[in-house]
Amino acid sequence: MLNNLTAEINWENMWIATWETVYMSLIAVAATFLLGTILGVLLYLTDKGNMWENKPVHTVTAAIVNIFRSIPFIILIILLIPFTTFLIGTMLGPSAALPALIIGAAPFYARLVEIGLREVDKGVIEASQAMGASQWQIIQKVLLPEALPSLISGITVTGITLVSYTAMAGVVGGGGLGNLAYQEGFQRNNNEVVFVATVLILVIVFILQWIGDIWTRQIDKR
């Protein structure tokens, strides 16, 4: 029965698509973690009452984050086609999907970073200031370490969102399992390909969640 179910599947194409999805997800998660953390820290520090309080910078940063967080991902991919073509040289393939994946996910993660930093006890920051710590020392040795469990939990949620984004990117030529499910599954009425591609995407999501949960438990000492 299993042989009949998978007889119409080209497994070589399936594994290539799987690795393309893993490639897009891992690169996008790493870049989103870096860019989102920078934006989240900037949002927190420039807010009222914090170390770098600056209303114009905070307003502009918040506006950029809110705008890009609000655009539906499938529309964002289309809007970014000229930028992607300029940057990568093509709008097709896994690498061409990366700019849209990162720009779509980083603002979402930045808000999670900001929320995580707000949960840090103000008393710990004030104690560090009283002991003469510089602003950079407070950011590097107090704020980020104290918020790290929230940052890891946040990037896990964002990573799972990115896997679903890669499937959407596949519909417009981004490669990966989404592209295979659409091109060989939907357009050729091959439901077996759609089913197996969906199962593989779920496996990737479960693995990401499992790694994120273990990592969060190991560093969360509260």
Side-chain angles (χ1 to χ4, degrees), residues 163-222:
V163 175
S164 68
Y165 280 0
T166 65
M168 279 190 275
V171 176
V172 291
L177 290 165
N179 180 262
L180 188 71
Y182 180 71
Q183 297 289 348
E184 293 193 15
F186 176 71
Q187 290 198 332
R188 298 182 182 179
N189 198 28
N190 189 340
N191 292 328
E192 289 82 2
V193 171
V194 177
F195 174 75
V196 174
T198 303
V199 170
L200 289 172
I201 288 173
L202 289 174
V203 170
I204 294 171
V205 167
F206 290 154
I207 291 173
L208 275 177
Q209 185 68 62
W210 177 66
I211 293 172
D213 288 344
I214 291 177
W215 197 2
T216 302
R217 280 199 296 271
Q218 286 181 341
I219 62 175
D220 192 355
K221 306 301 181 186
R222 293 173 291 184

Side-chain angles (χ1 to χ4, degrees):
M1 181 178 175
L2 186 62
N3 289 337
N4 292 334
L5 180 66
T6 60
E8 300 298 323
I9 296 175
N10 183 324
W11 287 104
E12 184 178 355
N13 289 343
M14 187 65 72
W15 292 127
I16 290 173
T18 302
W19 283 116
E20 287 177 347
T21 296
V22 171
Y23 162 75
M24 286 188 285
S25 300
L26 292 180
I27 299 293
V29 165
T32 297
F33 182 76
L34 180 63
L35 181 58
T37 300
I38 293 171
L39 287 171
V41 169
L42 190 61
L43 279 171
Y44 173 78
L45 292 177
T46 57
D47 201 3
K48 187 176 181 181
N50 292 333
M51 289 189 298
W52 295 352
E53 180 178 341
N54 188 314
K55 190 173 181 179
V57 173
H58 182 79
T59 301
V60 171
T61 307
I64 293 171
V65 167
N66 289 338
I67 289 170
F68 282 97
R69 196 174 59 143
S70 303
I71 300 174
F73 182 68
I74 196 72
I75 296 175
L76 182 64
I77 296 176
I78 297 169
L79 288 174
L80 288 176
I81 284 176
F83 174 71
T84 300
T85 305
F86 169 77
L87 193 66
I88 308 295
T90 176
M91 57 170 281
L92 301 175
S95 295
L98 290 174
L101 290 170
I102 297 164
I103 292 173
F108 172 75
Y109 181 59
R111 284 299 185 191
L112 297 181
V113 171
E114 184 189 17
I115 293 169
L117 293 173
R118 288 187 189 283
E119 292 174 352
V120 176
D121 188 353
K122 292 275 187 183
V124 178
I125 299 172
E126 291 169 358
S128 302
Q129 290 173 324
M131 287 188 289
S134 67
Q135 292 185 347
W136 281 112
Q137 286 175 324
I138 292 172
I139 294 169
Q140 293 173 0
K141 298 182 178 180
V142 179
L143 271 175
L144 292 177
E146 288 290 324
L148 193 56
S150 297
L151 303 190
I152 299 304
S153 179
I155 197 60
T156 302
V157 173
T158 308
I160 290 169
T161 303
L162 277 166
V163 175
S164 68
Y165 280 0
T166 65
M168 279 190 275
V171 176
V172 291
L177 290 165
N179 180 262
L180 188 71
Y182 180 71
Q183 297 289 348
E184 293 193 15
F186 176 71
Q187 290 198 332
R188 298 182 182 179
N189 198 28
N190 189 340
N191 292 328
E192 289 82 2
V193 171
V194 177
F195 174 75
V196 174
T198 303
V199 170
L200 289 172
I201 288 173
L202 289 174
V203 170
I204 294 171
V205 167
F206 290 154
I207 291 173
L208 275 177
Q209 185 68 62
W210 177 66
I211 293 172
D213 288 344
I214 291 177
W215 197 2
T216 302
R217 280 199 296 271
Q218 286 181 341
I219 62 175
D220 192 355
K221 306 301 181 186
R222 293 173 291 184

